[in-house]
């Protein structure tokens, strides 16, 4: 394997103390230094003049690769026509009821061949890699039938995503009520090869009782429970998710004030998705209060054709800093080590000796990621110990 030496980093984003599974306080340091990579892992925080590849960071920052722990890859096509409806005030529920939304993506998926679906997902993954994402989660969810969901799980594995989530309870297929579809979800969970189970709790989708039931199914299958909750309305799903042992609750734009403290104290991550809020004109979650209360805060793109057609973690970090009032350190902890914890990938997500060598060399200090909003700050991406991309 290639050995790599990155010298002259103006900032190395490292945990204040090694060994933490996640950071509730964004305790990260930004001291200058060097990194040496050997045998696929971070070997030392020093320069190695004899390394196979020498990279001069030229005084810029070196950070861990982004961990995008909530995307909806694979999906087929896009839904640009809905975007203008959304920003001019047509509610998501109304778009969904008129045949748009998740149902439209399910139709597109049913019409697309496997190769077409895989090609689109690979192109998006390549775009993500160039923007610094070295670990990627994806979900089923646009199948809307037992066969369709099993097909998506198979395609997800074919893509070799780092983690695959079964979002079998995404939208209630025609001819079912939520309870009857949950019987199918139960069978799918037993059959499909996935790392976690997820559900969308909302007036147009599933109910808190379905979330509680999915918790039992996840426990039986020995996989993590995750849940899309409080996206458009306050359904008080967070206490249900906590009782069910969820690893994460995602969205939280309409989090009920009484549910904030219990969530912040729990070992359950608050996955915030500012791309979906920004493009979907939703509410904004109480992100500053969650960080102040010590929640395990996480950021992800939610990359999907409906609410967040966003592939860029730098853009997500920029949105979080601006809209949530987070420091850059808070946003970067949320986009790296805390996100790796959600996916139960303790081998990565932070710059520590022995961790998988997933590193991004930027073209400036970390503060430029939110400040130069929309600028691509990524110069070099090292994934799993190899140079995966270099800006030409
Ligand atoms: O995370 N809320 C449900 N699921 C997706 C949106 C899916 C879609 O609109 O295609 C989300 O926002
Ligand atoms: Fe989502």
């Amino acid at each position: 394997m290639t050995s790599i030496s990155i010298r002259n980093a103006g900032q190395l984003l490292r945990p204040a103390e090694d060994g933490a599974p996640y950071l509730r306080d964004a305790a990260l340091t930004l001291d200058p230094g060097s990194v040496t990579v050997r045998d696929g892992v971070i070997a030392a925080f020093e320069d190695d003049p004899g390394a196979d590849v020498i990279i001069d960071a030229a005084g810029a920052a070196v950070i861990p690769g982004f961990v995008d722990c909530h995307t909806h890859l694979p999906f087929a096509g896009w839904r640009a026509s809905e975007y203008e409806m959304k920003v001019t005030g047509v509610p998501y529920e109304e778009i969904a009821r008129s045949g748009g939304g998740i149902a439209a993506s399910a139709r597109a998926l049913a019409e697309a061949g496997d190769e077409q679906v895989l090609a689109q997902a690979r192109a998006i993954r390549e775009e993500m890699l160039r923007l610094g994402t070295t670990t990627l989660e994806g979900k089923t969810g646009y199948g809307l039938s037992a066969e369709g969901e099993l097909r998506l799980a198979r395609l997800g594995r074919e893509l070799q995503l780092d983690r695959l989530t079964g979002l079998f309870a995404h939208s209630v297929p025609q001819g079912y009520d939520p309870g009857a579809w949950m019987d199918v979800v139960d069978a799918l969970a037993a059959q499909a090869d996935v790392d976690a189970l997820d559900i969308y709790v909302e007036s147009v989708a599933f109910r808190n009782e379905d979330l509680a039931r999915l918790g039992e199914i996840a426990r039986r299958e020995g996989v993590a429970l995750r849940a899309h909750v409080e996206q458009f309305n306050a359904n008080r799903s967070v206490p249900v998710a906590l009782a069910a042992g969820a690893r994460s609750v995602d969205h939280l734009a309409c989090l009920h004030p009484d549910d904030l403290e219990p969530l912040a104290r729990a070992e359950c991550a608050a996955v915030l998705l500012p791309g979906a809020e920004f493009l979907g004109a939703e509410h904004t979650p109480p992100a500053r209060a969650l960080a102040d209360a010590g929640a395990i805060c996480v950021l992800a793109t939610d990359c999907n054709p409906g609410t967040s057609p966003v592939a860029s973690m730098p853009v997500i970090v920029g949105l979080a800093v601006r809209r949530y009032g987070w420091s850059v350190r808070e946003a970067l902890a949320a986009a790296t080590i805390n996100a790796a914890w959600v996916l139960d990938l303790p081998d990565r997500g932070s710059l520590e000796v022995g961790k998988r060598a997933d590193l991004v060399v930027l073209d400036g200090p970390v503060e430029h990621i939110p400040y130069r909003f929309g600028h691509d700050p990524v110069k070099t991406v090292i994934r799993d110990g190899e140079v995966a991309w270099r800006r030409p």
Side-chain angles (χ1 to χ4, degrees):
M1 277 187 104
T2 325
S3 60
I4 305 169
S5 181
I6 306 172
R7 61 166 66 140
N8 197 19
Q11 298 172 322
L12 276 179
L13 187 78
R14 293 176 62 185
E17 278 172 39
D18 283 359
Y22 46 72
L23 301 175
R24 291 183 184 271
D25 53 4
L28 293 160
T29 61
L30 284 166
D31 297 329
S34 303
V35 194
T36 296
V37 168
R38 227 173 276 123
D39 299 325
V41 299
I42 296 170
F45 288 100
E46 55 194 35
D47 193 10
D48 175 8
D52 304 327
V53 179
I54 307 274
I55 296 170
D56 183 358
V62 176
I63 67 173
F66 292 114
V67 177
D68 195 349
C69 72
H70 181 144
T71 86
H72 288 259
L73 286 170
F75 51 81
W78 297 96
R79 295 189 338 248
S81 59
E82 286 176 19
Y83 183 51
E84 188 168 287
M85 293 171 77
K86 228 176 281 177
V87 297
T88 53
V90 184
Y92 184 79
E93 289 93 331
E94 200 175 310
I95 296 172
R97 277 194 207 98
S98 64
I102 293 165
S105 286
R107 281 195 301 276
L109 192 73
E111 282 161 19
D114 285 359
E115 273 318 309
Q116 201 182 331
V117 176
L118 291 170
Q120 179 173 350
R122 287 189 182 117
I124 295 169
R125 181 171 59 187
E126 181 66 20
E127 181 185 350
M128 290 171 159
L129 178 78
R130 290 175 178 210
L131 291 161
T133 297
T134 50
T135 293
L136 183 60
E137 179 262 13
K139 299 182 211 308
T140 73
Y142 291 114
L144 287 196
S145 67
E147 307 72 51
E149 284 297 291
L150 288 172
R151 176 188 178 217
L152 273 180
R154 175 173 55 77
L155 294 178
R157 282 297 181 218
E158 211 162 312
L159 279 170
Q160 295 184 296
L161 299 165
D162 297 277
R163 286 288 189 237
L164 178 63
T165 303
L167 176 55
F168 304 133
H170 195 192
S171 179
V172 184
Q174 263 189 347
Y176 287 87
D177 61 37
W181 181 252
M182 286 305 294
D183 292 338
V184 179
V185 169
D186 191 322
L188 284 170
Q191 215 181 325
D193 168 28
V194 292
D195 305 306
L197 292 168
D198 197 344
I199 182 169
Y200 177 32
V201 183
E202 190 53 89
S203 52
V204 293
F206 292 87
R207 310 157 300 180
N208 284 337
E209 63 195 270
D210 304 315
L211 166 59
R213 182 169 172 199
L214 192 69
E216 286 164 30
I217 297 170
R219 206 168 310 129
R220 183 192 73 207
E221 296 301 323
V223 299
L225 172 68
R226 304 186 57 186
H228 287 65
V229 296
E230 320 297 61
Q231 184 177 7
F232 300 105
N233 301 286
N235 297 300
R236 303 301 303 271
S237 304
V238 167
V240 182
L242 295 181
R247 185 85 171 183
S248 76
V249 281
D250 304 40
H251 282 291
L252 304 173
C254 299
L255 179 66
H256 192 280
D258 292 350
D259 297 339
L260 193 147
E261 277 293 332
L263 171 58
R265 278 194 303 274
E267 199 170 46
C268 172
V271 179
L272 306 185
L273 307 162
E277 294 145 24
F278 185 67
L279 288 143
E282 285 178 48
H283 303 278
T284 301
R288 182 66 261 155
L290 280 164
D292 288 339
I296 305 169
C297 293
V298 174
L299 286 172
T301 61
D302 196 16
C303 185
N304 77 74
T307 55
S308 184
V310 177
S312 168
M313 285 298 283
V315 160
I316 293 299
V317 166
L319 284 173
V321 167
R322 180 70 188 104
R323 288 171 60 93
Y324 297 167
W326 279 0
S327 67
V328 182
R329 271 175 234 237
E330 286 172 323
L332 290 176
T336 58
I337 184 169
N338 288 1
W341 180 78
V342 169
L343 299 180
D344 195 18
L345 290 169
D347 65 332
R348 65 192 81 172
S350 58
L351 303 190
E352 294 174 50
V353 170
K355 283 222 181 182
R356 195 173 100 145
D358 289 346
L359 300 108
V360 178
V361 184
L362 303 181
D363 64 2
V366 291
E367 291 80 3
H368 277 201
I369 302 175
Y371 168 64
R372 295 185 66 192
F373 186 75
H375 167 72
D376 171 6
V378 176
K379 263 184 98 175
T380 304
V381 180
I382 294 162
R383 185 178 184 280
D384 202 11
E386 302 289 344
V387 177
W389 190 73
R390 276 184 110 147
R391 187 189 287 175

